[in-house]
Amino acid sequence: MGSKRKKTEKQKDFKKAKLKVGKTLAKPDNYTDTSFKAKTISLPNQSIAKKLSTSGSNQEIDLTHQLSLTKHHSSSTRKEVLIYLQQHLPSNPSLYKQIINLITPMIHDSSLNVQTALISLFNSCGEKQQGLLDLHVRSIILFILSAMTHIQPVIRNGSSKFLQVLVEYAPQSLVKSYFAKVMKSYFQLMNWTLVDDKKSMSLAITTGSAIGGSTKKARIGHLHVLQKFLQVALFEDKSTKSSIDFSTVVTIHPQSYKYLLPTIPQPFAPLKLFINELPKSDNSSSDGSYSLQDLDTLSAEDLATRRKVMNDIFLKPMLHNLKPLVKEGGEVGKEANSTILLLQEFEASLQDEMKNSV
């Protein structure tokens, strides 16, 4: 009797209950009612104020996220990030420091598309924030000089394009502090020989011969940027020149204007009054001209020092290396010839200064 009852109870679990019309299935004993209703109170003014208060932080969070993608393994992602940053440059000047610090190492990126996007971003930063690149010229030029002697040809060929950005947006900060270093790196970039004729001593530039010279297309860009760099470094900027011509001012003596307050920074730097130097060897030049050894400790902040360094060290070797490029013809020969004309103009201006000083 008991086994029959258990059998019927088990069969109940597999039988489908027949429901009458309008009646629902009975709920089990362990049923829990989870249905509920919630009422919300919307305050539009409060939500707008909250959005305005958090807009700055959201912008910084998004900028940090985008900058983190500059180290992505995909070159297309890095390029898209740079394009996005250019299109959404912040209006807050304090955020540009973070941008410049993270995109500057990308000068060594081996992707041409990334290099093009990076140059465009640097130009946009220089246009939107005047004087920004002057503040970061030290870190940017270090990567540019390293790129000019890099082992990968793609990075070397694009190095002068980044130098052109500094020539355009931070010219004085560039030439005052890094004129000699840029000139030495240019000889390595172009695979030129730099020889000190007065000491019959060659500069130890073997990087160019070891990694090979630049391509013909790249040399066109290198020479074009070199002309702009020399124009800024060796010739006086007439736009910043004083409007007063002291030579025409009536004074006690006709040459009194030469002894007025100087208009150039650190006019007595070539005298090296506050520099403790090691004694030079006996074979040093006695006529006061600079040598290759002086480039490591030389400060060329004023125009006169840069012109003297160019005349004593770089002028003759550069003319010697430019003449074969003129014979090649084409765009390379055209740019080389333009550079030679600029150097000849520089020589003529030196001769005029010597005549006027006599």
Side-chain angles (χ1 to χ4, degrees):
M1 189 72 180
S3 60
K4 188 177 180 180
R5 183 182 299 175
K6 292 181 180 179
K7 187 176 181 180
T8 55
E9 290 179 356
K10 289 182 179 179
Q11 289 178 354
K12 290 182 181 180
D13 298 335
F14 300 97
K15 288 183 179 180
K16 185 176 181 181
K18 294 182 180 180
L19 302 177
K20 294 182 179 181
V21 178
K23 290 187 178 182
T24 58
L25 182 64
K27 295 179 174 57
D29 297 337
N30 59 350
Y31 173 76
T32 302
D33 187 7
T34 58
S35 62
F36 63 90
K37 294 182 180 180
K39 295 183 180 180
T40 59
I41 300 176
S42 178
L43 299 177
N45 296 334
Q46 185 179 11
S47 61
I48 294 175
K50 183 178 180 181
K51 184 181 295 184
L52 292 174
S53 63
T54 58
S55 59
S57 60
N58 290 337
Q59 185 181 16
E60 294 180 4
I61 293 174
D62 183 65
L63 179 63
T64 304
H65 171 68
Q66 295 296 331
L67 290 175
S68 65
L69 297 177
T70 56
K71 299 180 181 180
H72 198 272
H73 62 87
S74 175
S75 60
S76 60
T77 302
R78 298 195 300 270
K79 182 194 71 173
E80 294 297 332
V81 168
L82 294 176
I83 295 175
Y84 176 84
L85 291 175
Q86 181 181 358
Q87 296 175 351
H88 300 83
L89 285 175
S91 57
N92 187 1
S94 62
L95 299 177
Y96 281 84
K97 180 180 179 180
Q98 184 181 6
I99 296 176
I100 297 297
N101 290 338
L102 289 178
I103 68 174
T104 299
M106 298 181 71
I107 295 175
H108 289 176
D109 200 294
S110 58
S111 175
L112 291 176
N113 294 330
V114 175
Q115 290 183 9
T116 304
L118 182 59
I119 293 171
S120 181
L121 177 57
F122 271 124
N123 287 325
S124 298
C125 292
E127 292 176 359
K128 194 167 184 178
Q129 296 291 332
Q130 297 293 333
L132 174 67
L133 298 183
D134 288 277
L135 300 176
H136 300 274
V137 65
R138 181 178 182 182
S139 59
I140 297 175
I141 194 62
L142 289 178
F143 282 93
I144 293 177
L145 295 177
S146 178
M148 295 175 76
T149 58
H150 204 275
I151 192 172
Q152 295 187 22
V154 178
I155 299 177
R156 293 199 312 272
N157 295 338
S159 59
S160 61
K161 298 178 183 178
F162 294 99
L163 182 64
Q164 184 177 0
V165 176
L166 293 183
V167 172
E168 184 173 355
Y169 293 102
Q172 296 302 319
S173 300
L174 175 64
V175 298
K176 287 181 179 180
S177 302
Y178 304 100
F179 171 73
K181 292 182 179 179
V182 171
M183 292 302 300
K184 288 175 62 177
S185 299
Y186 240 104
F187 273 78
Q188 294 176 322
L189 177 64
M190 299 297 294
N191 198 15
W192 289 346
T193 57
L194 182 58
V195 180
D196 192 349
D197 296 329
K198 297 180 181 180
K199 297 183 179 181
S200 300
M201 181 178 179
S202 62
L203 180 65
I205 296 182
T206 57
T207 308
S209 59
I211 62 180
S214 302
T215 60
K216 187 174 183 179
K217 184 178 180 180
R219 283 183 294 174
I220 298 174
H222 296 335
L223 292 174
H224 182 71
V225 177
L226 178 61
Q227 296 174 35
K228 292 186 176 181
F229 177 76
L230 294 177
Q231 182 69 40
V232 173
L234 302 178
F235 296 91
E236 186 176 3
D237 189 4
K238 297 181 180 179
S239 60
T240 59
K241 188 177 180 181
S242 176
S243 59
I244 302 177
D245 187 4
F246 291 101
S247 61
T248 60
V249 177
V250 179
T251 54
I252 299 176
H253 193 273
Q255 292 188 349
S256 298
Y257 69 94
K258 294 183 178 181
Y259 306 98
L260 298 177
L261 293 177
T263 58
I264 59 175
Q266 299 187 7
F268 305 108
L271 300 178
K272 302 178 181 179
L273 299 177
F274 306 101
I275 299 177
N276 295 326
E277 293 184 333
L278 295 176
K280 296 184 177 181
S281 58
D282 296 336
N283 57 355
S284 60
S285 58
S286 59
D287 56 352
S289 60
Y290 293 114
S291 62
L292 294 176
Q293 288 81 2
D294 297 329
L295 293 180
D296 297 330
T297 58
L298 184 64
S299 175
E301 292 191 3
D302 58 304
L303 179 63
T305 304
R306 293 195 297 270
R307 292 170 66 90
K308 184 172 177 55
V309 170
M310 184 67 189
N311 184 45
D312 295 344
I313 300 176
F314 298 110
L315 182 59
K316 291 182 180 179
M318 185 172 291
L319 290 173
H320 176 74
N321 289 282
L322 285 172
K323 291 179 181 178
L325 296 180
V326 177
K327 296 180 181 180
E328 291 185 13
E331 292 294 330
V332 176
K334 182 179 178 181
E335 294 293 341
N337 187 44
S338 300
T339 308
I340 291 177
L341 293 177
L342 181 65
L343 295 177
Q344 291 177 350
E345 180 183 355
F346 168 69
E347 286 185 300
S349 63
L350 287 179
Q351 294 178 358
D352 293 339
E353 289 180 359
M354 293 179 62
K355 291 179 181 179
N356 295 332
S357 61
V358 175

